[in-house]
């Protein structure tokens, strides 16, 4: 006769983890690294406090997705805001520490508190710098990748400015990217106009002519094949996810997607890796249930 | 296949044999005799970018009412050399040994265009089979230079010479990634 006490144990576990997490967050605040501020947490009341580790994971995910997806994904405004602020703070923090290191080498005796104890050994400083470089590399690569896509799809993105577009352009791009897109396309247009287009008859002067034999506006390759990893819903509790179905034979949880062209249903089991057309899994990617690899 | 795709532009410049359905004045320069008219049933080799649009757009029914009321397109595309039955049969018999590059250096691009123009299901099937078979071979070549074959005296590069532009790109990409992967594994 087995009594299932898993939920009771889980309750106990939750208590201890709650204490630990509060301890961790306190320690984070002590070292002034990457603390979280009031206004954003209030804005995201339903979110758990966005921790630096979580944010980095999210950044990695959006970096990978951006690298592999054929279209330009929406810009993660809040995530980038937080990350950029943390980079700044961490930069200052490291600077402060290294200053302290320079000053206090002479008088080690008064370096009694824990902060100076860490300072005297170089290892934490090195680790912090290397970590910052890593983060900055990811950020740079992410942004450059986006810029490359903006170049490629600049005519296509212009259509988003028209009324009736699904996503407004300022949600898709950041402010700087908007400026880049605007200026870059005017420069390109000027070059084309001055060198070639003004010698053309007026009806052939448009650069975004879709009526001709070949479309001039290049759309993202919606049906490109991508590798996807099905990571399931973000949070631990799976109940509210209505898309998630359960296979009756194996008990495996999966998402069901329909491939339009073949009229075929495919099961994406959680934890599986698939090669799929991008337009088939696009909604799941935007919902963060599947990620590109 | 986008507007600025250089391979696509090159592929579109391939000439296809066409037959005119109308007498058209002034178009003689397509045949080489400038200033003359083009006669009905004249056979002309036209680049695909021109032939494609002429084969879709119909002539004025009034202009052609001599023969029949049906609005023919200006030209009729005739089966090109690169998709002749003997090429199709050669593909069916052995895709890996076929010299695609000598048939046309943009074979796939043109065949795809042709198939979309005529909704040719059979051709698509043949192409699918061909691409699958040949891509296995390409992968083998890209993964490594096969020492056994070198030892047997068979020249590996003969297969490379039979690739068309599209396959060359596949080969280059997969070869680069294999090479980089090996480099990363061996060197630190």
């Amino acid at each position: 006769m087995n009594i299932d006490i898993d939920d009771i144990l889980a309750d106990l576990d939750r208590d201890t983890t709650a204490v630990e997490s509060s301890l961790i967050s306190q320690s984070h605040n002590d070292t002034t690294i990457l603390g979280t501020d009031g206004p954003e947490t209030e804005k995201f009341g339903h979110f758990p406090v966005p921790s630096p580790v979580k944010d980095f994971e999210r950044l990695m995910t959006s970096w990978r997705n951006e690298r592999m997806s054929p279209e330009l994904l929406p810009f993660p405004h809040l995530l980038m805001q937080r990350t950029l602020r943390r980079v700044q703070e961490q930069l200052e923090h490291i600077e402060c520490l290294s200053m302290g290191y320079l000053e206090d080498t002479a008088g080690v005796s008064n370096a009694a508190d824990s902060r100076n104890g860490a300072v005297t050994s170089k290892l934490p400083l090195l680790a912090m710098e290397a970590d910052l470089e890593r983060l900055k590399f990811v950020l740079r690569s992410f942004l450059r990748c986006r810029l490359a896509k903006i170049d490629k799809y600049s005519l296509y993105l212009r259509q988003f400015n028209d009324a009736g577009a699904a996503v407004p352009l300022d949600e898709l791009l950041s402010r700087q990217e908007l400026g880049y897109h605007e200026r870059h396309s005017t420069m390109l247009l000027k070059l084309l106009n001055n060198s070639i287009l003004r010698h053309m008859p007026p009806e052939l002067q448009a650069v975004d002519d879709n009526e001709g034999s070949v479309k001039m506006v290049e759309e993202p390759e919606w049906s490109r094949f991508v590798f996807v990893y099905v990571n399931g819903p973000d949070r631990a509790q799976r109940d509210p996810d209505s898309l998630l179905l359960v296979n009756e034979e194996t008990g495996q949880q999966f998402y069901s997607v329909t491939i339009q062209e073949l009229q075929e249903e495919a099961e994406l089991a959680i934890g599986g890796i698939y090669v799929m057309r991008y337009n088939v899994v696009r909604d799941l990617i935007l919902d963060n249930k599947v990620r590109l690899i | 296949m986008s507007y600025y795709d250089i391979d696509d532009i090159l592929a579109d410049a391939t000439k296809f044999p066409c037959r005119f359905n109308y007498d058209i004045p002034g178009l003689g320069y397509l045949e080489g005799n400038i200033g003359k008219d083009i006669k009905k049933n004249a056979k002309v080799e036209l680049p695909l970018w021109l032939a494609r649009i002429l084969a879709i757009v119909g002539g004025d029914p009034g202009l052609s009412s001599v023969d029949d009321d049906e609005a023919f397109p200006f030209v009729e595309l005739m089966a090109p050399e690169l998709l002749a039955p003997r090429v199709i049969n050669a593909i069916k018999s052995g895709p890996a040994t076929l010299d695609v590059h000598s048939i046309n250096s943009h074979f796939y691009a043109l065949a795809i265009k042709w198939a979309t123009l005529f909704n040719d299901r059979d051709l698509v099937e043949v192409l699918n089979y061909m691409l699958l078979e040949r891509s296995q071979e390409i992968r083998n070549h890209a993964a490594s230079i096969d020492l056994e074959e070198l030892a047997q005296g068979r020249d590996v590069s003969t297969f490379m010479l039979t690739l068309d532009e599209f396959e060359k790109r596949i080969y280059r990409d997969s070869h680069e990634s294999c090479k980089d992967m090996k480099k990363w594994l061996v060197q630190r």
Side-chain angles (χ1 to χ4, degrees):
Chain A
M1 191 175 86
N2 286 332
I3 303 172
D4 196 359
I5 57 164
D6 279 353
D7 49 344
I8 305 175
L9 287 176
D11 261 352
L12 288 172
D13 275 349
R14 246 199 303 285
D15 285 349
T16 51
T17 48
V19 172
E20 273 168 16
S21 67
S22 70
L23 277 178
I24 289 167
S25 63
Q26 272 173 16
S27 69
H28 270 298
N29 287 340
D30 284 346
T31 48
T32 68
I33 323 169
L34 322 176
T36 47
D37 289 345
E40 271 169 42
T41 32
E42 275 164 30
K43 230 185 279 177
F44 276 90
H46 57 286
F47 262 15
V49 183
S51 80
V53 180
K54 272 271 165 57
D55 271 355
F56 182 67
E57 273 168 18
R58 227 173 285 155
L59 179 69
M60 291 297 276
T61 315
S62 33
W63 177 48
R64 287 201 191 105
N65 284 352
E66 193 68 62
R67 294 274 307 199
M68 302 323 284
S69 79
E71 69 158 337
L72 190 70
L73 294 169
F75 187 78
H77 289 279
L78 291 169
L79 175 64
M80 286 302 272
Q81 264 175 31
R82 286 198 299 263
T83 318
L84 288 178
R85 202 193 54 236
R86 277 179 200 138
V87 167
Q88 193 60 38
E89 281 171 6
Q90 180 74 334
L91 205 63
E92 284 162 13
H93 181 62
I94 288 176
E95 226 156 75
C96 288
L97 281 186
S98 56
M99 294 290 268
Y101 181 66
L102 286 176
E103 286 165 12
D104 291 344
T105 37
V108 191
S109 54
N110 56 4
D113 52 42
S114 64
R115 209 179 65 103
N116 282 356
V119 161
T120 39
S121 76
K122 279 183 185 172
L123 189 60
L125 205 58
L126 276 179
M128 279 180 208
E129 273 172 10
D131 190 46
L132 192 64
E133 282 308 312
R134 229 164 76 94
L135 177 61
K136 273 157 79 179
F137 170 79
V138 175
L139 282 174
R140 274 198 293 260
S141 173
F142 179 61
L143 293 177
R144 292 176 76 99
C145 172
R146 289 182 63 87
L147 288 186
K149 280 189 189 174
I150 291 172
D151 280 357
K152 197 173 169 198
Y153 301 129
S154 71
L155 287 173
Y156 172 72
L157 287 173
R158 289 195 145 228
Q159 295 174 342
F160 277 87
N161 275 333
D162 304 347
V167 190
L169 198 56
D170 46 351
E171 204 167 291
L172 202 63
L173 303 179
S174 71
R175 208 157 36 79
Q176 293 92 333
E177 283 168 343
L178 268 177
Y180 172 81
H181 174 229
E182 201 56 48
R183 281 202 302 278
H184 184 264
S185 48
T186 37
M187 269 153 62
L188 192 68
L189 202 63
K190 208 168 145 194
L191 173 70
L192 287 175
N193 262 330
N194 287 340
S195 55
I196 304 160
L197 288 177
R198 64 188 169 136
H199 304 299
M200 297 294 238
E203 68 270 20
L204 294 180
Q205 279 183 355
V207 288
D208 52 354
D209 186 5
N210 265 353
E211 313 289 302
S213 55
V214 184
K215 281 190 170 189
M216 290 182 84
V217 176
E218 189 179 351
E219 274 197 36
E221 211 182 325
W222 294 110
S223 54
R224 195 208 283 173
F225 278 105
V226 288
F227 282 84
V228 295
Y229 171 74
V230 189
N231 52 347
D234 242 353
R235 315 267 159 269
Q237 63 266 35
R238 289 177 176 179
D239 304 327
D241 197 349
S242 56
L243 288 168
L244 201 62
L245 305 171
V246 177
N247 190 331
E248 279 142 27
E249 287 166 30
T250 57
Q252 183 94 2
Q253 286 179 307
F254 66 94
Y255 295 105
S256 176
V257 291
T258 316
I259 303 163
Q260 289 288 335
E261 293 150 18
L262 305 173
Q263 300 286 319
E264 204 174 277
E265 295 258 323
E267 293 180 1
L268 302 179
I270 283 188
I273 291 175
Y274 299 86
V275 187
M276 278 278 164
R277 287 202 183 274
Y278 182 73
N279 52 6
V280 176
V281 288
R282 180 165 182 266
D283 292 341
L284 292 175
I285 288 170
L286 292 183
D287 284 352
N288 239 337
K289 286 163 183 155
V290 158
R291 56 173 193 251
L292 300 174
I293 48 178
Chain B
M1 278 191 232
S2 67
Y3 188 76
Y4 298 102
D5 188 348
I6 196 83
D7 272 322
D8 193 43
I9 296 170
L10 286 175
D12 258 350
T14 314
K15 301 216 166 168
F16 277 66
C18 301
R19 197 177 59 219
F20 270 82
N21 286 330
Y22 300 101
D23 289 337
I24 300 170
L27 267 184
Y29 61 87
L30 289 177
E31 266 185 320
N33 40 359
I34 300 158
K36 303 277 174 53
D37 300 351
I38 203 154
K39 294 276 176 293
K40 193 181 171 183
N41 287 334
K43 267 196 204 170
V44 187
E45 296 245 309
L46 292 181
L48 185 60
W49 56 266
L50 184 59
R52 181 175 48 203
I53 195 79
L54 288 184
I56 296 170
V57 178
D60 245 346
L63 202 124
S64 71
S65 54
V66 204
D67 292 4
D68 38 359
D69 309 330
E70 228 179 315
F72 276 127
F74 285 119
V75 301
E76 189 180 320
L77 274 171
M78 299 191 306
E81 190 74 355
L82 80 147
L83 293 172
R86 87 192 144 77
V87 176
I88 301 291
N89 285 337
I91 295 173
K92 279 180 187 159
S93 62
T97 53
L98 186 70
D99 189 355
V100 186
H101 194 266
S102 73
I103 298 172
N104 193 298
S105 55
H106 294 96
F107 182 81
Y108 284 104
L110 290 174
I112 288 168
K113 282 171 201 287
W114 186 266
T116 30
L117 212 54
F118 288 92
N119 263 332
D120 196 339
R121 196 166 279 274
D122 297 337
L123 176 63
V124 170
E125 254 166 47
V126 171
L127 283 178
N128 266 343
Y129 167 67
M130 172 179 173
L131 184 59
L132 275 180
E133 290 287 313
R134 284 179 73 88
S135 59
Q136 288 174 18
E137 197 73 10
I138 292 171
R139 214 219 87 83
N140 283 345
H141 282 271
S144 65
I145 293 172
D146 202 343
L147 289 177
E148 270 180 50
E149 287 205 3
L150 270 184
Q152 285 167 8
R154 279 162 63 191
D155 196 0
V156 193
S157 63
T158 46
F159 178 73
M160 297 288 90
L161 294 178
T162 69
L163 297 181
D164 92 328
E165 292 297 322
F166 171 64
E167 289 172 328
K168 271 183 195 161
R169 209 172 59 230
I170 298 178
Y171 170 75
R172 205 164 43 229
D173 288 354
S174 59
H175 183 66
E176 290 283 311
S177 51
C178 282
K179 206 173 69 185
D180 289 348
M181 188 68 197
K182 267 181 203 157
K183 219 188 219 169
W184 183 79
L185 282 175
V186 173
Q187 302 170 351
R188 296 306 304 175

